[in-house]
Amino acid sequence: MRWPSGFSTPDVQTIGTGLEMDNADVLLTSSSFGGNIHVDRINENGQRVWASQSVFFNDAGSNFRLIESVPDASDGAYIFWDSPGPYRRIARVNRINPDGSIAWASSVRILGDDIFNQGSRHTPPVAISDSQGGAVFIWSKGQETGTTPVPILMQRINESGAMTFPVEGA
């Protein structure tokens, strides 16, 4: 892909993730100083596909990390991020439709409210497509100390935002 010079996007503090879509478009996620998550879709010529970037509020505040963008089956994508807690991280997801609209009114918290089921602050989580229109999020429990082993868990999220497994993961 060769983009002409001059593509820019407003109000960006940090570039997050990049995802090449099936039609060669690129989905770029970024964050702003206000804690919002921005999503731009750029075609192979470096032009915006949507009239403006999609912006959704990150209910975790401005201290968060964009983890992964994962394609869905309808030419949209899942956007995963996490935010720190005391020695642990709390993960969330939202979905962007192909037209740039936000699929869910509020983001889905993937990990439970139980403090012992939040993600590790030491081991980054992973998100992948499930090849059925959903996504799978994989994390390690946040209880490690020294050489103590911890379980690796997973959660599947479908296109409506429902989780397949109990909140604790499987």
Side-chain angles (χ1 to χ4, degrees):
M1 173 182 307
R2 182 181 167 101
W3 287 357
S5 61
F7 171 76
S8 64
T9 187
D11 193 29
V12 171
Q13 174 187 359
T14 305
I15 299 295
T17 64
L19 171 65
E20 184 176 3
M21 306 300 284
D22 286 341
N23 67 351
D25 286 356
V26 173
L27 210 64
L28 300 173
T29 63
S30 58
S31 62
S32 67
F33 288 101
N36 293 327
I37 295 172
H38 301 255
V39 184
D40 289 284
R41 188 166 182 155
I42 312 303
N43 68 20
E44 61 187 22
N45 297 316
Q47 304 299 314
R48 287 184 186 276
V49 172
W50 305 325
S52 62
Q53 66 182 190
S54 288
V55 178
F56 59 94
F57 177 70
N58 166 28
D59 50 3
S62 61
N63 187 9
F64 66 97
R65 165 181 65 177
L66 288 161
I67 297 170
E68 197 79 55
S69 298
V70 175
D72 65 17
S74 61
D75 203 33
Y78 297 91
I79 311 298
F80 291 89
W81 70 96
D82 67 3
S83 57
Y87 293 96
R88 293 167 183 83
R89 300 190 73 85
I90 300 167
R92 293 174 173 82
V93 62
N94 209 320
R95 194 170 140 253
I96 300 295
N97 291 316
D99 64 0
S101 62
I102 299 164
W104 307 326
S106 60
S107 301
V108 174
R109 183 173 171 170
I110 299 170
L111 306 180
D113 291 326
D114 175 4
I115 193 166
F116 295 108
N117 193 37
Q118 296 176 0
S120 166
R121 70 180 179 137
H122 300 292
T123 307
V126 176
I128 57 173
S129 171
D130 71 356
S131 302
Q132 299 174 14
V136 176
F137 186 78
I138 303 163
W139 75 96
S140 64
K141 274 183 119 172
Q143 303 172 157
E144 72 270 51
T145 57
T147 59
T148 305
V150 295
I152 295 175
L153 301 171
M154 65 179 276
Q155 183 61 264
R156 182 180 177 274
I157 297 94
N158 69 20
E159 288 185 321
S160 67
M163 295 186 283
T164 301
F165 306 116
V167 172
E168 300 81 35

